[in-house]
Amino acid sequence: MATKSSKGPSMIETFQEFKETKNIDRTTLVSVLEESFRNVIAKMFGSDENYDVIVNPDKGDFEIHRNRIVVADGEVKDENKEIALSEAQKIEPDYEIGEEVSEEVEFQKFGRRAILNLRQTLASKILELEHDSLYNKYKDKVGHIVAAEVYQMWKREVLLIDDEGNELHLPKSEQIPSDNYHKGETVRAIVKEVLNENNNPRIILSRTNSQFLERLLEAEVPEINDGLITIRRIARMPGERAKVAVESYDDRIDPVGACVGVKGSRVHGIVRELCNENIDIINYSNNTQLFIQRALSPAKVTSITLNPEEHKAEVYLQPEEVSLAIGKGGLNIKLASMLTEYTIDVFRVVNESEADEDIYLDEFSDEIDQWIIDSIKTIGLDTAKQVLNAPREMLIEKADLEEETVDHVLEVLKAEFE
C-alpha cells in the first residue's frame, strides 16, 4: 500500500469524509474514488489509460501506478506514456527497450491544485450519490407512514430528521391546525411526495392527507390489513372531523364494529394522533341514496331526490333533523358531500296544509329589496315557505348574501305566517 508520504493531511481528510458517507455501499465507494482519481489524472496528462488506481476506503489507503514503455534515450515523445532507457535502468538495471515500467506515483507530488481538484470531484460525486440514495429510498415510501424527530420549526414548515440524519419537510399546509411541535419529539406523518429538482431531493410529509388516516386505520384494524375489510372512501377536515366509508365482502364481519373496536378502543388511538379529530365510520353502499343517507348520519333522512347527471341531491328531513344534518359550521354536510361526491342540499319537510298557505317571494318586494329576492330565486327558491324551510347556511353561501340580510329576510317571512 502507499506510504504515508502519499497522503498529506488533506488526503486523509478526503478519505475520512468519504468513509462517513451515508447510504452508499463499499463497491460504489471504491468505484467513485477510482473514477475521481482518474478524472484528475486525465485532466493533468490528457489520458488516464496507462494508470492503475487501487483504493481502500476502509483504511484510507490508495496506490497509483503509472505504466510507461521504455524507449531509447532521446526518443521520448510523451513523458506520460514513455520513459528513456537510462531513466528506466535507474529503477531496475535490467530494463530493456519495449518493456513496460510500472512505478508508484505519489499523488501528493502532483501538487496542491491536483489535491484540491480531487477533493472537489469527490465532494460532487458524494453529494450526487447521497441524493440518488435518498431519492430512491423515499420514492418507494410515498403513501407510507414514517416517524422522524423534530429538528427545527419555522413559520412555514417544520424540519424533521430521520434515523439516518436525512432531512424531511412538513409544510404548514400539511400540518393539522392544532398540531404543536417541540424540538426532539417524534412525529408521525405520511410521505406525500418526493421532489427531485436538479438532483436535489426534497421529501414532503403530510398529516392532513386522507391516506394518513387510511394507513393509521390499517395499522390499528387487522381486518383491513388482512384485506377482509376495504376502506372505500375517506373525507377529512383535518383536526376536526372525518368520515370513512368501509365495506366487507364477508357477511360474518361487521366492518363498522371492527374498525371502531370494543368501546371505541381501535379508533381512540387514531383520534389522539389526529388531535382529537372525530371519526365517523359508516358502511359503504353502491346505492347512492342509501350511501348519502348514511353519510348524513346522525341525522335521519325522510326522502332524497337525486340528479345523477349533475351529481346533486336534494335531501328532505324533519325540521328537528336539519341542524344535525348540517352540523356545526356546516361540517357534517360538507363531509357528506365530499364522501359521496354529490352536492347535497337540505330541505325541511313541509306538510300539505302549510304548503297551501305559501306566498311567492315577489309579493314581499315592499319589505325586501328586489335584488335580494332575485338572488334567492337564482338558487331555486321562489316562495316564502321554501325559503323558511331551507337552511340558513345555504341561503348565506349559495345566494351569496350577508348574514344580517338573510336574518332580515327570515324575520319578514316568519312574521307573515305568525
Side-chain angles (χ1 to χ4, degrees), residues 70 312 362 412:
V70 179
K312 287 185 177 179
D362 289 320
V412 170

Side-chain angles (χ1 to χ4, degrees), residues 5-208:
S5 62
S6 297
K7 309 189 292 284
S10 60
M11 294 306 296
I12 292 172
E13 286 168 22
T14 299
F15 278 107
Q16 194 58 39
E17 286 170 17
F18 213 93
K19 280 169 70 179
E20 291 170 2
T21 301
K22 304 185 291 289
N23 307 328
I24 301 173
D25 62 88
R26 191 182 182 285
T27 308
T28 308
L29 290 184
V30 171
S31 171
V32 169
L33 264 169
E34 183 179 328
E35 186 186 343
S36 298
F37 274 114
R38 288 191 174 280
N39 282 346
V40 176
I41 292 166
K43 279 181 185 176
M44 292 181 68
F45 301 108
S47 171
D48 66 318
E49 62 188 28
N50 59 313
Y51 285 82
D52 294 324
V53 180
I54 304 164
V55 294
N56 183 350
D58 296 334
K59 296 180 180 178
D61 287 341
F62 64 94
E63 290 179 13
I64 298 174
H65 295 268
R66 177 163 59 175
N67 305 310
R68 292 187 289 181
I69 302 297
V70 179
V71 297
D73 289 2
E75 291 187 14
V76 175
K77 293 176 183 175
D78 183 348
E79 289 189 359
N80 184 43
K81 294 183 177 179
E82 297 171 335
I83 184 171
L85 179 62
S86 57
E87 288 296 314
Q89 288 176 341
K90 288 178 184 176
I91 299 168
E92 289 287 343
D94 52 356
Y95 272 127
E96 295 179 6
I97 291 170
E99 288 187 328
E100 187 177 76
V101 174
S102 181
E103 58 182 325
E104 185 175 345
V105 179
E106 293 184 3
F107 191 82
Q108 204 79 339
K109 288 184 179 178
F110 287 166
R112 189 170 174 275
R113 179 170 290 182
I115 293 171
L116 190 61
N117 196 336
L118 175 70
R119 287 177 64 80
Q120 287 172 342
T121 304
L122 273 178
S124 172
K125 290 281 182 188
I126 290 170
L127 196 60
E128 192 178 313
L129 283 169
E130 285 183 344
H131 285 174
D132 285 347
S133 174
L134 180 60
Y135 177 75
N136 290 329
K137 175 184 176 181
Y138 275 96
K139 77 170 182 180
D140 295 332
K141 289 188 176 183
V142 170
H144 294 274
I145 291 176
V146 294
E149 190 177 293
V150 175
Y151 183 71
Q152 206 157 356
M153 292 156 288
W154 295 300
K155 191 174 181 180
R156 294 186 176 180
E157 71 172 18
V158 172
L159 180 67
L160 300 107
I161 302 290
D162 70 8
D163 54 7
E164 291 177 349
N166 298 309
E167 294 184 353
L168 315 176
H169 302 265
L170 181 60
K172 188 74 177 172
S173 59
E174 303 298 332
Q175 298 170 21
I176 295 171
S178 50
D179 273 341
N180 191 18
Y181 303 102
H182 304 282
K183 186 169 182 177
E185 76 170 314
T186 300
V187 171
R188 288 203 295 170
I190 200 165
V191 180
K192 183 185 178 186
E193 60 182 333
V194 180
L195 306 175
N196 197 28
E197 292 180 14
N198 302 320
N199 195 33
N200 188 18
R202 182 177 169 86
I203 293 91
I204 308 296
L205 305 182
S206 175
R207 284 173 52 78
T208 60

Side-chain angles (χ1 to χ4, degrees), residues 337-348:
S337 291
M338 289 163 65
L339 193 73
T340 60
E341 297 174 355
Y342 264 71
T343 301
I344 300 172
D345 292 329
V346 172
F347 299 94
R348 293 177 178 85

